[in-house]
Amino acid sequence: MAHEIHGTPHPLRWRILGFLGVAQLMLILDVTVVAIALPHMETDLGLGREAVTWTVSAYTLTFGGLMLLGGRLADLIGAKRVVLAGLLVFTAASLVTGFAGAAGVLLGGRVAQGLGAALLSPAALSLVVGLFDGDERNKALGVWSALGGGGAALGVLLGGLLTAGPGWPWVFFVNVPIGLVIIAALARMLPVQSAAAPRPRLDLLGAVLVTAASGTLIYALIRAGEDGWLTAATGWLVLAAAIGYLAFVARQRTAKSPMMDIALLARRPVTTGTFLILIATALMIAVFFLGTFYFQHARELGALQTGLLFLPVAVATMIGADLTGRAIARLGARPLGVAGLLVAAAGLALPALSTQPATVAIGTAVAGAGTGAIFVVASATALGQVAPHESGIASGIVSTFHEFGASIGAAVISSVAAASLVGDTLSGFTNGFVVAASAAAVAALVSTALIPSRRPEGNLAG
């Protein structure tokens, strides 16, 4: 089964997509599946407020901060090796985290999960881009985006089922048998390949700089969500992150073996795709954050009931992504991207006008359909016209902004909705939905000018 990725289409490409999609689903699930279980972890392990916050943020920080390194490694040594290594690390870390009996082990396991995810996600997306061509690639990206977008909503449902059933450790244990099956299957099915553009060594200094800058920025956003946007500490952290990114750019221009070609970010399709993926993820996290807190705090529903209420969001997200993946070759990225953002804005506006359980449930589902569409347009736009040897790092860029979007969405919404999170008023939830709907509407306006008018091309022309 040694088929070259960029030659004859691999006969098992759709089956491979299925296994890679389930692997990606695990990574996305691990962002939201933990959210429902947090109160139980807090009680069982005696976690303080800071430890509870880091149980979520340690994963996304490591995942986002090391994403470029994972993409670069895929380009250097081949995506198959990096996918299998990432799966192994993530699976082992899930086992350790499930057995955690103290905060230190729990947080260490979450960091290790983030490391495995950072290796796996961009390399897996690079394989998807390489295994498919033309209209098939758009359909495959539609499947990929549906799994990724719907996974966050399914995570809330699964978290409720597992927490209410066998207990919170199983939100981590469930990854172990699934991970082992996927490792065995992909090790046999993935095509034999060599790196397209081998380099003498990895740019470790560049990796440290971009990881430190990304981690500092994500931490600044988390802190701003808790302490306010205009504090001196937040300002200094943002400044430190900016200096770190400038140092990374300088390093990439002088390194003999840079992690990435900085010019890649200057290309309009890549810039547009990263903008859209950031917006889509921020809106998606806003939906989950506001929805879960609204149903549990304001309406006093249990974990399982809250999870069930997010099932329509998951279905709507998958439908939106699937329909967009089928139509993008025919209609083009711009009208579908703008339409997705407008649908998301309309869905978020509904609970902004009325914070009744029915309007919140319907509005979040409609918003899910819109974000599902945006995910497909973002991936197709950013990855549709990069050269084969750049697909790994381009995938890493897209995935990095996915995590940044999650952090930005959570930080902004938690700050805006603070009144409802600490008190009995519903005004904070209303303000949160108003801000999210406004952001989607503004992004739609920006996208009319930013998204290239031509349709995504079927080859990876550099």
Side-chain angles (χ1 to χ4, degrees):
M1 296 184 186
H3 292 261
E4 288 297 324
I5 264 191
H6 297 289
T8 304
H10 195 286
L12 299 179
R13 60 192 180 281
W14 290 104
R15 192 175 301 178
I16 292 172
L17 174 66
F19 281 107
L20 289 174
V22 174
Q24 175 71 4
L25 185 61
M26 285 199 304
L27 308 187
I28 303 301
L29 280 170
D30 247 55
V31 177
T32 52
V33 73
V34 173
I36 295 295
L38 276 177
H40 298 266
M41 294 182 191
E42 182 180 24
T43 300
D44 290 352
L45 301 181
L47 303 179
R49 180 178 299 177
E50 186 175 342
V52 170
T53 302
W54 277 106
T55 301
V56 176
S57 60
Y59 178 71
T60 56
L61 191 153
T62 310
F63 193 172
L66 294 178
M67 196 77 69
L68 284 176
L69 180 61
R72 185 64 185 134
L73 277 172
D75 284 339
L76 282 170
I77 65 175
K80 177 178 180 177
R81 293 188 183 96
V82 178
V83 162
L84 294 177
L87 265 170
L88 186 60
V89 171
F90 182 84
T91 303
S94 297
L95 184 64
V96 171
T97 309
F99 280 118
V105 179
L106 178 70
L107 298 182
R110 291 294 278 167
V111 169
Q113 280 188 305
L115 172 60
L119 293 172
L120 171 58
S121 186
L125 185 52
S126 175
L127 282 169
V128 172
V129 172
L131 282 165
F132 296 91
D133 197 14
D135 288 345
E136 274 197 349
R137 179 183 296 134
N138 290 327
K139 292 178 182 177
L141 288 173
V143 173
W144 182 266
S145 299
L147 288 169
L154 288 173
V156 180
L157 173 60
L158 184 61
L161 287 169
L162 293 174
T163 303
W168 68 260
W170 282 91
V171 304
F172 303 111
F173 287 151
V174 72
N175 294 329
V176 178
I178 298 172
L180 292 176
V181 169
I182 296 174
I183 289 171
L186 292 180
R188 181 177 59 87
M189 288 193 299
L190 281 177
V192 175
Q193 58 174 141
S194 58
R199 294 190 181 269
R201 58 183 178 271
L202 188 67
D203 179 21
L204 293 178
L205 177 58
V208 169
L209 286 171
V210 73
T211 301
S214 301
T216 302
L217 179 60
I218 293 173
Y219 177 63
L221 295 170
I222 294 171
R223 186 183 181 112
E226 296 175 352
D227 301 336
W229 294 98
L230 300 179
T231 62
T234 300
W236 283 113
L237 284 168
V238 171
L239 178 61
I243 293 172
Y245 283 124
L246 289 174
F248 171 70
V249 171
R251 168 64 182 175
Q252 297 311 288
R253 289 178 173 173
T254 58
K256 293 181 179 178
S257 303
M259 280 182 63
M260 64 172 289
D261 180 6
I262 293 297
L264 193 65
L265 275 175
R267 298 181 195 171
R268 184 178 174 187
V270 177
T271 301
T272 303
T274 54
F275 167 75
L276 290 174
I277 204 77
L278 185 146
I279 291 295
T281 314
L283 294 175
M284 182 181 71
I285 292 298
V287 166
F288 299 135
F289 192 93
L290 291 170
T292 54
F293 275 93
Y294 167 80
F295 287 123
Q296 291 190 79
H297 284 194
R299 300 303 174 188
E300 298 183 344
L301 299 181
L304 182 56
Q305 290 172 300
T306 300
L308 288 171
L309 284 169
F310 272 87
L311 186 57
V313 181
V315 174
T317 302
M318 293 181 180
I319 291 174
D322 180 64
L323 293 177
T324 304
R326 295 173 184 272
I328 194 168
R330 179 166 47 90
L331 300 178
R334 181 184 290 177
L336 291 173
V338 173
L341 286 163
L342 290 176
V343 169
L348 291 163
L350 189 59
L353 296 173
S354 171
T355 50
Q356 295 299 314
T359 54
V360 173
I362 294 170
T364 52
V366 172
T371 56
I374 307 166
F375 279 122
V376 176
V377 174
S379 298
T381 303
L383 304 176
Q385 297 171 45
V386 296
H389 70 276
E390 297 172 324
S391 61
I393 195 61
S395 301
I397 292 172
V398 170
S399 299
T400 297
F401 276 82
H402 186 282
E403 298 309 307
F404 284 176
S407 300
I408 292 170
V412 172
I413 291 301
S414 64
S415 180
V416 172
S420 292
L421 301 182
V422 298
D424 297 328
T425 178
L426 292 177
S427 63
F429 293 121
T430 298
N431 293 339
F433 283 116
V434 167
V435 168
S438 300
V442 171
L445 183 62
V446 172
S447 295
T448 58
L450 190 60
I451 301 176
S453 58
R454 61 179 176 175
R455 298 171 187 176
E457 296 177 4
N459 56 20
L460 291 173

